Amino acid sequence: MDLHVDIRWLLDRQERVLGKDLQVRDHSALIAAVVRHRVNTPHLDLGEPDAYWRAAALLDTIVRQRPLPARNELYGYAVAVAYIEASGETADADERQWIQLIEDIRAFRLTSFDVADRLRSWRAA
């Protein structure tokens, strides 16, 4: 399923997860996340992107671009999980695995393709 979200969807997730007290600091970072996850050819050698790559693009962009004044990692996690589930997929990982993934993103150890591979590896059997 090719699910495309918009900035309203991201703002709704932000309010649900973090409440109204934590406002978006940089809307352009959210717009970048929206545009990035919609790309149909993220790499010329790969086929169509799947839900895991699209979720990875959202997560990677939110964690690295930091649209909120705080708690961007939690927000990116919540967006990725919501996107994966809305796409009819699963990501069965514990808190430690998510923390390691986000630390690897922040440390620039992973590309969005690496993030997608890790998310795919958490697909429930």
Side-chain angles (χ1 to χ4, degrees), residues 5 10 29-40 42 49-65 76 79-80 83-84 101 105 111-117 119-120:
V5 301
L10 290 177
L30 294 182
I31 292 168
V34 167
V35 171
R36 187 173 182 207
H37 96 285
R38 291 181 182 211
V39 170
N40 286 328
D50 62 1
Y52 293 99
W53 184 85
R54 294 185 192 282
L58 290 165
L59 174 61
D60 184 70
T61 304
I62 290 169
V63 168
R64 291 185 190 202
Q65 297 300 313
V79 164
Y83 184 87
I84 290 167
L101 174 61
I105 292 168
T111 68
S112 61
F113 302 102
D114 299 326
V115 174
D117 287 342
L119 293 175
R120 266 186 224 99

Side-chain angles (χ1 to χ4, degrees), residues 39-49 53 113:
V39 170
N40 286 328
T41 311
H43 192 288
L44 295 177
D45 295 337
L46 300 176
E48 290 289 316
W53 184 85
F113 302 102

